[in-house]
Amino acid sequence: MYTDLQEKVVVITGASTGLGRAMAIRFGKEKCNVIINYYSHNEEALKVKMEVENAGGKAAVIQGDVSKEEDVKNLVSFAIEQFGGLDIWINNAGIENSVPSHKLPLEDWEKVIKTNLTGAFLGSREAINYFVENNIKGNVINMSSVHEQIPWPTFVHYAASKGGVKLLTETLALEYAPKGIRVNNIGPGAINTPINEEKLADPQKRKDVESMIPLGYIGKPEEIAAVAVWLASTESSYVTGITLFADGGMTKYPAFQAGRG
Ligand code: NAI
């Protein structure tokens, strides 16, 4: 438990599934007030609201597209209206699809960049604007990926978006450190969530992925949520501008493990 998180208001985008859901529940356990943004499935979001409340927190649900400026501004107003302010903002919403790069439609490129990178920009901008105007030492956390560092054939738009998030985070961290506002990335490896469902359902593909993870297993959403609460709490008060990889060692060149490679 991080007692300093009690009653803090946290906005989580794309929070009706996967990592967003796990973070919402964990922030609930920390007795936070959680704004659950969802994109399309109201019933999933309402279920997460119940899970947050059962865990000990308060929660409110709002639909919104993170790539739309008005929707993101709405998220801030909604947090103020529901819980009287804003302390922590998590840009978690993200999408991916696999297409050979030479055949990638512009439409797919734009959709992924708009959701993963423009969405993180709009969320960070609106949150930081609120923090600056209200003199709050707030906290922004962006959900990046090991693919801000590891190239990913057939996911060029995804890798480019997460590479962009890396420098977005580093730049904002530098710019707003004098105001005590911290901006960090979480870089998950392969985690069991809907984004990976299809890939991991195939036993051979699952084995291939596991073989790239020194700790030897696909991560659990709760293991990412644990990183998020630490980054949001004052326990990490001296940490800003980093990507905290929670990847079972995936970014550490597993091919070289045990003398291979
Ligand atoms: P997920 O598919 O369960 O979650 C993504 C969420 O974003 C969904 O709830 C979806 O509805 C929402 N979303 C999509 N477009 C949106 C939009 N325009 N506006 C608002 N919400 C939108 O998958 P997961 O794994 O929970 O993904 C969360 C984040 O973690 C993503 O940014 C993803 O890139 C990142 N990540 C996930 C990894 C994994 O292995 N699961 C690994 C590395 C990064």
Side-chain angles (χ1 to χ4, degrees):
M1 285 282 289
Y2 297 95
T3 48
D4 66 289
L5 287 179
Q6 268 184 33
E7 298 296 322
K8 288 275 184 324
V9 180
V10 51
V11 171
I12 308 174
T13 67
S16 60
T17 60
L19 302 184
R21 170 179 169 265
M23 288 189 288
I25 295 168
R26 180 61 200 265
F27 277 97
K29 273 191 192 151
E30 302 292 338
K31 307 216 176 325
C32 288
N33 301 320
V34 186
I35 301 289
I36 298 160
N37 156 254
Y38 72 96
Y39 185 50
S40 53
H41 291 98
N42 178 261
E43 63 293 347
E44 281 177 349
L46 289 173
K47 195 165 159 254
V48 176
K49 179 179 187 291
M50 257 176 51
E51 291 176 304
V52 171
E53 289 166 352
N54 290 341
K58 293 187 192 122
V61 162
I62 180 172
Q63 195 279 333
D65 179 341
V66 295
S67 70
K68 293 201 174 128
E69 194 167 27
E70 275 320 300
D71 287 12
V72 179
K73 283 179 187 281
N74 263 343
L75 272 180
V76 178
S77 318
F78 187 68
I80 297 165
E81 182 193 302
Q82 293 290 317
F83 297 124
L86 174 65
D87 303 287
I88 300 150
W89 186 286
I90 306 185
N91 289 308
N92 167 72
I95 52 170
E96 64 180 44
N97 68 318
S98 173
V99 184
S101 298
H102 67 291
K103 295 290 181 195
L104 182 68
L106 179 59
E107 197 187 327
D108 288 24
W109 168 271
E110 285 182 341
K111 193 155 186 236
V112 167
I113 296 290
K114 269 189 165 172
T115 307
N116 300 6
L117 181 55
T118 308
F121 160 67
L122 288 172
S124 304
R125 188 191 70 184
E126 290 306 313
I128 292 172
N129 184 47
Y130 179 81
F131 298 151
V132 170
E133 284 189 349
N134 294 280
N135 217 2
I136 293 168
K137 293 184 182 358
N139 206 309
V140 176
I141 298 171
N142 292 318
M143 199 54 72
S144 180
S145 162
V146 291
H147 296 295
E148 70 162 49
Q149 179 176 313
I150 305 174
W152 202 13
T154 77
F155 290 86
V156 70
H157 44 348
Y158 184 81
S161 72
K162 298 298 186 181
V165 167
K166 175 185 192 295
L167 272 166
L168 172 86
T169 293
E170 292 176 4
T171 301
L172 294 176
L174 197 58
E175 193 169 340
Y176 294 98
K179 297 198 180 297
I181 297 168
R182 297 191 294 126
V183 187
N184 289 294
N185 274 347
I186 299 174
I191 316 294
N192 237 333
T193 72
I195 215 171
N196 287 323
E197 222 159 39
E198 232 180 276
K199 220 176 304 158
L200 299 179
D202 176 336
Q204 187 53 48
K205 281 194 183 147
R206 191 178 183 99
K207 256 183 102 179
D208 290 348
V209 174
E210 282 167 351
S211 76
M212 293 188 286
I213 306 169
L215 282 181
Y217 69 96
I218 310 284
K220 297 188 275 291
E222 294 73 22
E223 291 177 295
I224 302 302
V227 171
V229 284
W230 180 74
L231 275 178
S233 80
T234 50
E235 290 290 304
S236 63
S237 52
Y238 207 47
V239 176
T240 195
I242 66 153
T243 294
L244 200 162
F245 287 114
D247 64 351
M250 203 183 214
T251 40
K252 297 293 170 280
Y253 301 95
F256 287 84
Q257 214 175 11
R260 286 184 292 131

